[in-house]
C-alpha cells in the first residue's frame, strides 16, 4: 500500500495558495485559552495531497469500477448527472438556517420528494430528516412508542423481530427501551405464523419486518401477519432495506404497515461514499403523522416553509442539528425525477429479472439455492454448505477469490440462519453480459476449489494486500499513527 | 474432537464449573472457544459484585462473534482472571486451565443445575445436527 | 428506460433461461389484490438536460447570498482539490469497507483521519465518524452512561449555551433510555457556564458535564476550571467543540489537570460545504482507556499474510450486525465521504494553515464587531472573549430586520427569538475567513439603513410579497 500521508510530511512545507492572507485586526483571546502546540497534521504540498489521495482511491473497489452484487445493499448505478447538479453553487453554498424566502429552490425539491415518497409507499406522511436507515428505524420505533404513550398504553414493552432480520432491528428496539422477542422462520423462509400468534399480546408494541425478507423471498402471509399484530394492538414497521424489490409493484401502506424507512442510498441511488452518507426518510400511516420527526417541509399558497414543533406538538423531536442529509435528499429527488413514473415501475421488474436470471444460471451450474422452491425477489441466497464440507472451501474463500476476478463479493454470512451463504443482489442497472461474466467466474472458482483448493483458500492474490490479520488488529489496537 | 474433562461440570450455555471446597471456578469449554475462534477481548464481572443464577456477567469477543457468559449460580465474585485483559488468547490455548474467567462463592441454598461431562458431550453432539 | 440496459433480445433470452413466459410471472408469489396498478402522483421522467434546466433554476433561487449566519454551520473556503478528489467514483461509489482487501483506499484514509482528528482534539483515539455533531453529542452521552455503570443516577449536565438543536437531538435520542438531562443555565452577563451555578445545581451524583467551546453564543468558556470541576465530582467531561477552532484554542485533551475525557462535535467546518445542512459528519474522540465503549466504526492497522501493512475495520463485535440487541449503538453507517473531504482538507491546510483559517475568522469577527458597534442602538449582549460569533441585540424586531435584509440578498445571522426568547430581539452573527472588509462594510451599511426604516407595522405586507415572488 501507499505510504501514510504523515510519512510524506516535511517541516515547513505547505499548500500556500490555500492559506488565507494574514489580517491586521486584533486578537482578543486570553492566553490561557490558546493552544500552545501544533496538531499532528501533515505538512505537504498540494500536488502531494492530490497524488496521495488519488492513489488511495485506486485501491478501492466501487460501483463505478466493478460489479458489486452485495445482497441487501442495492449497489446500483449512481447517476453522475445527479451528483453534478447537486454540486451547483446555489445548493452547495446555501446555509441551513437561511430564511425560507432564500431557500425556495431547495425546499421545493424536498417538498416534492416528500410527495413522491408518499405516493410510492402508499403512506400518509413523510419526514426526510433521518440521516441513515438505522436512524429512520430509530425514528420509526420512537414514533410507535410515542403513539402508545399518547394513548396511555404503558404495558407495551416488547418489539417482535423475525430471526432473519437485519441486526439494526433488534439494536434499534433495544435503543428505544424495548425488549426484543425473536420470531422463528419456517422452512420456506416465511415468518412462522403459529409462533407469531403465540407471541403477540397486550405487551406487543409492534413488529419489525423486511419484505421481501433478508432471505430474498416475499412474505406471502403479510396480510395475516398484519391482522394478527393489529388485532393485538401492535403496529407494523417496514424495514425499507429491500424496497428495490417491490418499487412500483406493491406498496408497504397497502400491505398494512404503519411506519417504514426508505434507504435513499439503496433504492434512490445516492452514492454510498465508502460507508455513508445515507438517507433514511420515514413514511407513516395516518395515525402516526402527529409524531413525525422535525422539521418537515410544508407548502402554503405556493410558498415552501419549515414545519416544526409549532405545527406538530406531539413530534418525537429532532434527529439532526439541521434537516438531515439535505444533499442526499436533493440527489434522491433528482433520481426520482429522472426515473419518473414509468421508470420507477420498471425498477422492481428488472431487479427481479436480473436476480432470477443469475440464480437460474448458478442453479444450472450446480450451486445450491437456500430456498430452492421459492421465487427469488431482487436478491437470492446460495449456500456453500456442501462445498465447505467436501472441499474445505468456505463462503469467505469464494468471496475473496471473486475479488481476483475483479468482482466485488456478495454479502457473506448474512442472514445468519443460512450456513456458508452468499446473498447476491445484482440490481436492475447491470447488463446481461456482466451477469454472465459473474456466473462464469463463480463456476470457474468452484472448479478451482476442486482442482487447486489452495489457490482459493489463500485468495485474493491480485489486490494491494493479501488476507489481513484481523485478530492482530483487534488484539493490538493500532488506531492512530505515531512516529517511531 | 474437543476435550470435555470428566472431573468438571457444565452448563447448557457452554460454561464449565469446577468446585473446590465452597468456591466455584467458571470458564468456557473447549468447544465454545473453538466455535468463537481467536478471542480478542474479554469483559469480566466486578470483583465483590453479586451475581444471580443465569445472569449475564461476562463477555468474550472474537473478531466475528461475541458471546455472553452466564453465571451458573447466585453468589459473590471473589476473584477474576485479570491476565485475560492482556492475553485473551489464554482462553484459546488453555480453556480449562489458565483461561478460567472468574471465581464465585455461592450463596447458601443455591446449588447449580449442571450437566456432567457425558451429558454435555451429548448436547454438543446434538447441536451439530 | 432510465438506467436499465436490457435490450428486447436480452429479456427474451433471460426469461427463457429462467423458464418463465414474461416478467410478470416473476411476481407470482405476491397476492394479486395487493399489486399497484400505477403511480399517478409521480411525475413523468425527465432527461438529464431537462433535469439540469429545472435544477439550475431552483439553485438560482437560493444563490448569491452574502452570508453572516453561523450557528453550527460555517462558510469556509474549500480548496478545489478537496471535492475534485472526493468526487472520484472510487471513493464516492464504494460501499462500507467490509471487504478490507478491496477497500484499502478508504480504510487507509480513515486511519489517517483518525490520526488527524485525535491529534486536533489532543486525545488518544478517534472513531471513523458519526452522522453529525448533534448525534455525536448524543452518542458521547450514551458512552458516558455506559462507562459509569456504577452510578445508577445517569444524570447529565447539559448547558443551555450548547447549540439548542443539539439539545433537542440529545433529548430525542437519550430520553428513550432513562437518562436524565439537566439544563445548566448560562450566566446572564457572560453567557458562560459558571462554577457557582454548577455547585448550586449538583447536590447529587452526576455522570457527565458537557462543555462547549466556543458555546452557541460564540463565547469562550473557562474550560480548564469546568473540566477540573467535573473530575472533582467523579463525572466525565464531554467537550463539544468547533474542530477548526481547536487549531487555535486549547484542545479538549489539554483542558484542566487531566483533560476532557470525550470530545465530539460537527466536522463540517473542515472542508464540507453548507449544502442546506448536510450531509455533514460528527466526530467522536476519547482517552484510550475508554476505547471499548466508543461507538461507531473504527479502523485499525495490521498486516497481511505476508507481513505487509494493511488496514481493517476493527472492534466490530460491538456493532449491531453481531451484537444485535446488545450493540453499543444501532448505527451502521459513518459519513465516509465527508470524512474523505475533511481528511483531504486537513492535509492541504496543514497545522499552520488550519490555525491561520481559525485566526483570520476570529479577526474578521472582531472587525465585524468594531463596525457593528458604530451603529446606534445595537447592543453586544455578552462582553466576553469570543471565537467568531457574536450575539447582538437590535432596537427593532429581529425577524423583520432579517427579512428586509434577505430581500437584499444579505443573510444577517440567526434569530435567537425562538430558541432564546429570554434574550429579546437578539441575533447571532458570524464572520469567517471568507468575508472581506468590503463584505463587512456592505453588511453594516445595509443593516444601518434597514434599522432606520424597518418597523413592526410592515410585517404583514412582507409575507404577501414573498408569496407573490414564488408562486
Amino acid at each position: 500500500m501507499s505510504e501514510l500521508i504523515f510519512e510524506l510530511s516535511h517541516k515547513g512545507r505547505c499548500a500556500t495558495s490555500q492559506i488565507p492572507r494574514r489580517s491586521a485586526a486584533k486578537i482578543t483571546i486570553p492566553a490561557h485559552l490558546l493552544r500552545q502546540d501544533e496538531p499532528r497534521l501533515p505538512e505537504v504540498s498540494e500536488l502531494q495531497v492530490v497524488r496521495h489521495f488519488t492513489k488511495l482511491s485506486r485501491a478501492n473497489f466501487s460501483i463505478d469500477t466493478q460489479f458489486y452484487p452485495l445482497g441487501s445493499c442495492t449497489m446500483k448505478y449512481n447517476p453522475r448527472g445527479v451528483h453534478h447538479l447537486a454540486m451547483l453553487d446555489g445548493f452547495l453554498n446555501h446555509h441551513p438556517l437561511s430564511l425560507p424566502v432564500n431557500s425556495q429552490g431547495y425546499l421545493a425539491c424536498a417538498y416534492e420528494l416528500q410527495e413522491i415518497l408518499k405516493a410510492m409507499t402508499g403512506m400518509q406522511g413523510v419526514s426526510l430528516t433521518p440521516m441513515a436507515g438505522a436512524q429512520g428505524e430509530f425514528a420509526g420505533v420512537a414514533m410507535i412508542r410515542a403513539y402508545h404513550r399518547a394513548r396511555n398504553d404503558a404495558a407495551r414493552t416488547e418489539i417482535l423481530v423475525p430471526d432473519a432480520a437485519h441486526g439494526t432491528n433488534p439494536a434499534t428496539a433495544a435503543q428505544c427501551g424495548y425488549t426484543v422477542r425473536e420470531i422463528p422462520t419456517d422452512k420456506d423462509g416465511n415468518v412462522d405464523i403459529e409462533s407469531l400468534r403465540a407471541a403477540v399480546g397486550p405487551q406487543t408494541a409492534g413488529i419489525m419486518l423486511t419484505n421481501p425478507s433478508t432471505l430474498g423471498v416475499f412474505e406471502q402471509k403479510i396480510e395475516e401477519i398484519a391482522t394478527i399484530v393489529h388485532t393485538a394492538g401492535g403496529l407494523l414497521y417496514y424495514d425499507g432495506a429491500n424496497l428495490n424489490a417491490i418499487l412500483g409493484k406493491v406498496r408497504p401502506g397497502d400491505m398494512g404497515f404503519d411506519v417504514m424507512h426508505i434507504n435513499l442510498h439503496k433504492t434512490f441511488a445516492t452514492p454510498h461514499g465508502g460507508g455513508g452518507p445515507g438517507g433514511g426518510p420515514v413514511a407513516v400511516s395516518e395515525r402516526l403523522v402527529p409524531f413525525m420527526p422535525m422539521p418537515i417541509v410544508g407548502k402554503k399558497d405556493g410558498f415552501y416553509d419549515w414545519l416544526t414543533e409549532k405545527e406538530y406538538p406531539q413530534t418525537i423531536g429532532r434527529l439532526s442539528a439541521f434537516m438531515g442529509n439535505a444533499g442526499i435528499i436533493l440527489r434522491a429527488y433528482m433520481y426520482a425525477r429522472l426515473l419518473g413514473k414509468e421508470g420507477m415501475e420498471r425498477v422492481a421488474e428488472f431487479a427481479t429479472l436480473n436476480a432470477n436470471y443469475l440464480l437460474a444460471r448458478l442453479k444450472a451450474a450446480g450451486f445450491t439455492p437456500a430456498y430452492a422452491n421459492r421465487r427469488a425477489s431482487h436478491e437470492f441466497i446460495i449456500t456453500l454448505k456442501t462445498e465447505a464440507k467436501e472441499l474445505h472451501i468456505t463462503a469467505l474463500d469464494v468471496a475473496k477469490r471473486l475479488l481476483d476476478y475483479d468482482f466485488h463479493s456478495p454479502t457473506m454470512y448474512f442472514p445468519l440462519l443460512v450456513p456458508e451463504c452468499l446473498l447476491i443482489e445484482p440490481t436492475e442497472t447491470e447488463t446481461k453480459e456482466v451477469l454472465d461474466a459473474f456466473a462464469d467466474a463463480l463456476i470457474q472458482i468452484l472448479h478451482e476449489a476442486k482442482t487447486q483448493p489452495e489457490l482459493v483458500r489463500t485468495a485474493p492474490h491480485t489486490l494491494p494486500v493479501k488476507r489481513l490479520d484481523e485478530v492482530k488488529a483487534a488484539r493490538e489496537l493500532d488506531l492512530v499513527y505515531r512516529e517511531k | 474432537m474437543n476435550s470435555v474433562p470428566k472431573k468438571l461440570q457444565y452448563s447448557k450455555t457452554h460454561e464449565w464449573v469446577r468446585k473446590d471446597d465452597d468456591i466455584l471456578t467458571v470458564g468456557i469449554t473447549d468447544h465454545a472457544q473453538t466455535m468463537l475462534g481467536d478471542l480478542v477481548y474479554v469483559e469480566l464481572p466486578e470483583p465483590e459484585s453479586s451475581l444471580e443464577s443465569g445472569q449475564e456477567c461476562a463477555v468474550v469477543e472474537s473478531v466475528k462473534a461475541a458471546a455472553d457468559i452466564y453465571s451458573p449460580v447466585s453468589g459473590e465474585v471473589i476473584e477474576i482472571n485479570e491476565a485475560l485483559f492482556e492475553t485473551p488468547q489464554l482462553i484459546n490455548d488453555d480453556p480449562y486451565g489458565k483461561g478460567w474467567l472468574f471465581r464465585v462463592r455461592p450463596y447458601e441454598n443455591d446449588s447449580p443445575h449442571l450437566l456432567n461431562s457425558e451429558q454435555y458431550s451429548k448436547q454438543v453432539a446434538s447441536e451439530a445436527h | 428506460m432510465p438506467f436499465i440496459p436490457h435490450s428486447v433480445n436480452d429479456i427474451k433470452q433471460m426469461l427463457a433461461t429462467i423458464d418463465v413466459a414474461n416478467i410478470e410471472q416473476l411476481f407470482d408469489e405476491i397476492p394479486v389484490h395487493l399489486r399497484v396498478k400505477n403511480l399517478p402522483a409521480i411525475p413523468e421522467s425527465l432527461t438529464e438536460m431537462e433535469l439540469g434546466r429545472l435544477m439550475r433554476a431552483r439553485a438560482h433561487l437560493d444563490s448569491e447570498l452574502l452570508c453572516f449566519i453561523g450557528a453550527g454551520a460555517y462558510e469556509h473556503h474549500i480548496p478545489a482539490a478537496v471535492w475534485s478528489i472526493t468526487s472520484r467514483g472510487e471513493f464516492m461509489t464504494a460501499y462500507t469497507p467490509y471487504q478490507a482487501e478491496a477497500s484499502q483506499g478508504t480504510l487507509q484514509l480513515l486511519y489517517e483521519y483518525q490520526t488527524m482528528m485525535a491529534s486536533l482534539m489532543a486525545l488518544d483515539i478517534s472513531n471513523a465518524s458519526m452522522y453529525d455533531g448533534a448525534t455525536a453529542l448524543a452518542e458521547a452521552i450514551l458512552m458516558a452512561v455506559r462507562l459509569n455503570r456504577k452510578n445508577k443516577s445517569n444524570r447529565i449536565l447539559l448547558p443551555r449555551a450548547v447549540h439548542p438543536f443539539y439539545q433537542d437531538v440529545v433529548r430525542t435520542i437519550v430520553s428513550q433510555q432513562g437518562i436524565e438531562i439537566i439544563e445548566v443555565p448560562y450566566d446572564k452577563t457572560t453567557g458562560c457556564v459558571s462554577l457557582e451555578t454548577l455547585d448550586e445545581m449538583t447536590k447529587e451524583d452526576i455522570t457527565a458535564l458537557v462543555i462547549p467551546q466556543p458555546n452557541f453564543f460564540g463565547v469562550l468558556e473557562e474550560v480548564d476550571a469546568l473540566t477540573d470541576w467535573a473530575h472533582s465530582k467523579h463525572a466525565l467531561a464531554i467537550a463539544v467543540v468547533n474542530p477548526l477552532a481547536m487549531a487555535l484554542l486549547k484542545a479538549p485533551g489539554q483542558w484542566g489537570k487531566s483533560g476532557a475525557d470525550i470530545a465530539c462535535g460537527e466536522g463540517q467546518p473542515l472542508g464540507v460545504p453548507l449544502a442546506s445542512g448536510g450531509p455533514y459528519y460528527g466526530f467522536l474522540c476519547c482517552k484510550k482507556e475508554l476505547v471499548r465503549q466508543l461507538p461507531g466504526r473504527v479502523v485499525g492497522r495490521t498486516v497481511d499474510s505476508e507481513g505487509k501493512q494493511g488496514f481493517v475495520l476493527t472492534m466490530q463485535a460491538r456493532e449491531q450486525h453481531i451484537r444485535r440487541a446488545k450493540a453499543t449503538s444501532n448505527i451502521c453507517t459513518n459519513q465516509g465521504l465527508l470524512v474523505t473531504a475533511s481528511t483531504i482538507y486537513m492535509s492541504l491546510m496543514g497545522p499552520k494553515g488550519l490555525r491561520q483559517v481559525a485566526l483570520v475568522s476570529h479577526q474578521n469577527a472582531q472587525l465585524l464587531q468594531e463596525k457593528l458597534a458604530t451603529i446606534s442602538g445595537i447592543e453586544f449582549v455578552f462582553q466576553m472573549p469570543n471565537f467568531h460569533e457574536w450575539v447582538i441585540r437590535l432596537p427593532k424586531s429581529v425577524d423583520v430586520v432579517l427579512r428586509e435584509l434577505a430581500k437584499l440578498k444579505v443573510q444577517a445571522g440567526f434569530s435567537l427569538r425562538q430558541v432564546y426568547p429570554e434574550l429579546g430581539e437578539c441575533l447571532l452573527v458570524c464572520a469567517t475567513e471568507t468575508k472581506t472588509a468590503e463584505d463587512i462594510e456592505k453588511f453594516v451599511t445595509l443593516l444601518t439603513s434597514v434599522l432606520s426604516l424597518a418597523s413592526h407595522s410592515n410585517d404583514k405586507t412582507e409575507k404577501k410579497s414573498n408569496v407573490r415572488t414564488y408562486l
Side-chain angles (χ1 to χ4, degrees), chain C residues 13 48-49 185 200 221 232 252 434 446:
Chain C
Q13 285 179 28
E48 187 177 298
M49 184 177 78
E200 278 167 32
E221 298 274 358
S232 76
T434 59
L446 291 175

Side-chain angles (χ1 to χ4, degrees), chain C residues 351-362:
Chain C
K352 294 192 175 59
L354 204 63
R355 184 174 183 282
Q356 184 86 345
V357 174
L359 191 64
V360 175
S361 297
H362 170 73

Side-chain angles (χ1 to χ4, degrees), chain A residues 369-384:
Chain A
Y371 295 93
N373 51 352
R374 295 292 306 267
R375 186 78 75 199
S377 61
H378 67 314
E379 63 186 357
F380 62 91
I381 302 171
I382 58 175
T383 170
L384 300 173

Side-chain angles (χ1 to χ4, degrees), chain A residues 45-172:
Chain A
S45 74
E46 189 163 326
L47 172 60
Q48 283 183 298
V49 172
V50 171
R51 197 172 281 162
H52 175 75
F53 289 104
T54 303
K55 257 189 207 168
L56 283 191
S57 77
R58 291 162 70 178
N60 270 0
F61 275 37
S62 68
I63 303 177
D64 279 7
T65 48
Q66 277 95 359
F67 178 46
Y68 226 103
L70 270 179
S72 258
C73 298
T74 314
M75 300 296 281
K76 57 167 102 173
Y77 171 57
N78 307 152
R80 279 272 147 189
V82 165
H83 177 63
H84 178 75
L85 292 170
M87 301 292 274
L88 290 172
D89 274 353
F91 294 129
L92 227 44
N93 299 328
H94 179 251
H95 196 285
L97 299 173
S98 290
L99 294 185
V101 66
N102 295 136
S103 313
Q104 291 296 298
Y106 172 70
L107 290 177
C109 298
Y111 180 84
E112 288 173 23
L113 181 62
Q114 288 174 185
E115 294 302 308
I116 290 171
L117 295 182
K118 274 190 224 168
M120 196 198 79
T121 57
M123 294 290 197
Q124 305 306 315
V126 165
S127 167
L128 300 172
T129 180
M131 289 177 284
Q135 218 196 17
E137 278 183 38
F138 175 85
V141 178
M143 280 189 271
I144 290 176
R145 193 171 136 126
Y147 168 79
H148 291 309
R149 283 204 173 170
R151 296 163 54 250
N152 293 316
D153 188 350
R156 301 193 180 270
T157 54
E158 212 171 75
I159 290 276
L160 307 175
V161 178
D163 54 5
H166 293 114
T168 50
N169 294 173
T172 303

Side-chain angles (χ1 to χ4, degrees), chain A residues 86-415:
Chain A
M87 301 292 274
L88 290 172
D89 274 353
F91 294 129
L92 227 44
N93 299 328
H94 179 251
H95 196 285
L97 299 173
S98 290
L99 294 185
V101 66
N102 295 136
S103 313
Q104 291 296 298
Y106 172 70
L107 290 177
C109 298
Y111 180 84
E112 288 173 23
L113 181 62
Q114 288 174 185
E115 294 302 308
I116 290 171
L117 295 182
K118 274 190 224 168
M120 196 198 79
T121 57
M123 294 290 197
Q124 305 306 315
V126 165
S127 167
L128 300 172
T129 180
M131 289 177 284
Q135 218 196 17
E137 278 183 38
F138 175 85
V141 178
M143 280 189 271
I144 290 176
R145 193 171 136 126
Y147 168 79
H148 291 309
R149 283 204 173 170
R151 296 163 54 250
N152 293 316
D153 188 350
R156 301 193 180 270
T157 54
E158 212 171 75
I159 290 276
L160 307 175
V161 178
D163 54 5
H166 293 114
T168 50
N169 294 173
T172 303
Q175 211 187 3
C176 289
Y178 282 113
T179 46
V180 176
R181 186 191 285 206
E182 287 207 341
I183 305 294
T185 301
D186 72 16
K187 64 176 184 358
D188 290 327
N190 290 316
V191 167
D192 187 281
I193 293 284
E194 285 322 305
S195 305
L196 176 67
R197 247 186 246 287
V200 297
Q203 79 289 352
T204 306
I207 187 169
M208 301 179 81
L209 278 179
T210 313
N211 194 16
S213 73
T214 58
L215 304 173
V217 296
F218 192 83
E219 185 65 63
Q220 288 157 300
K221 293 180 184 156
I222 183 59
E223 291 167 290
E224 198 177 344
I225 294 172
T227 307
I228 293 170
V229 175
H230 280 150
T231 307
L235 299 184
L236 276 84
Y237 186 94
Y238 181 85
D239 177 336
N242 292 344
L243 188 63
N244 216 51
I246 58 166
L247 201 63
K249 289 283 151 196
V250 204
R251 305 190 303 175
D254 301 336
M255 287 191 263
F257 286 95
D258 300 285
V259 48
M260 66 178 293
H261 77 268
I262 301 149
N263 297 94
L264 297 180
H265 48 285
K266 296 179 184 177
T267 320
F268 285 81
T270 68
H272 281 75
V282 281
V284 297
S285 65
E286 197 66 53
R287 54 180 154 186
L288 290 181
V289 165
F291 306 103
M292 290 194 292
M294 295 295 108
I296 289 168
V297 182
K299 184 183 184 184
K300 203 177 168 192
D301 301 331
F303 186 76
Y304 300 99
D305 206 349
W306 296 112
L307 305 180
T308 59
E309 294 79 358
K310 240 194 280 173
E311 293 83 5
Y312 291 87
Q314 288 182 289
T315 172
I316 59 159
R318 269 176 194 271
L319 292 168
S320 66
F322 302 107
M323 199 236 168
N325 287 336
I328 298 304
I329 291 165
L330 198 58
R331 285 170 173 82
Y333 168 71
M334 287 191 261
Y335 180 72
R337 294 303 308 268
L338 286 172
L339 285 190
K341 180 165 118 63
E342 57 278 44
M344 226 172 272
E345 287 166 358
R346 297 282 175 276
V347 167
E349 292 182 358
F350 285 85
T352 304
L353 177 68
N354 274 0
N356 279 281
Y357 174 70
L358 194 52
L359 173 60
R361 279 223 46 199
L362 292 175
K363 229 154 84 176
F367 285 91
T368 315
Y371 295 93
N373 51 352
R374 295 292 306 267
R375 186 78 75 199
S377 61
H378 67 314
E379 63 186 357
F380 62 91
I381 302 171
I382 58 175
T383 170
L384 300 173
K385 196 177 166 187
T386 321
E387 289 80 357
K389 214 175 236 172
E390 287 170 5
L391 306 170
H392 305 287
I393 294 289
T394 63
L396 177 80
D397 297 331
V398 173
K400 297 293 184 198
R401 183 63 181 149
L402 269 170
L403 301 175
D404 283 331
Y405 284 85
D406 209 29
F407 291 113
H408 196 278
S409 87
T411 299
M412 45 182 200
Y413 300 103
F414 181 85

Side-chain angles (χ1 to χ4, degrees), chain A residues 40 98 275 374-375 400, chain C residues 28-29 101 119-120 334 411:
Chain A
R40 193 332 139 38
S98 290
R374 295 292 306 267
R375 186 78 75 199
K400 297 293 184 198
Chain C
D28 55 6
E29 291 194 1
E101 297 86 353
S119 164
L120 194 53
N334 58 352
Q411 310 193 88

Side-chain angles (χ1 to χ4, degrees), chain C residues 433-453:
Chain C
E433 89 284 8
T434 59
K435 295 294 162 293
T436 62
E438 292 74 34
D439 294 335
I440 290 171
E441 199 61 55
K442 181 178 174 189
F443 176 37
V444 170
T445 310
L446 291 175
L447 179 58
T448 310
S449 71
V450 165
L451 280 178
S452 63
L453 291 175

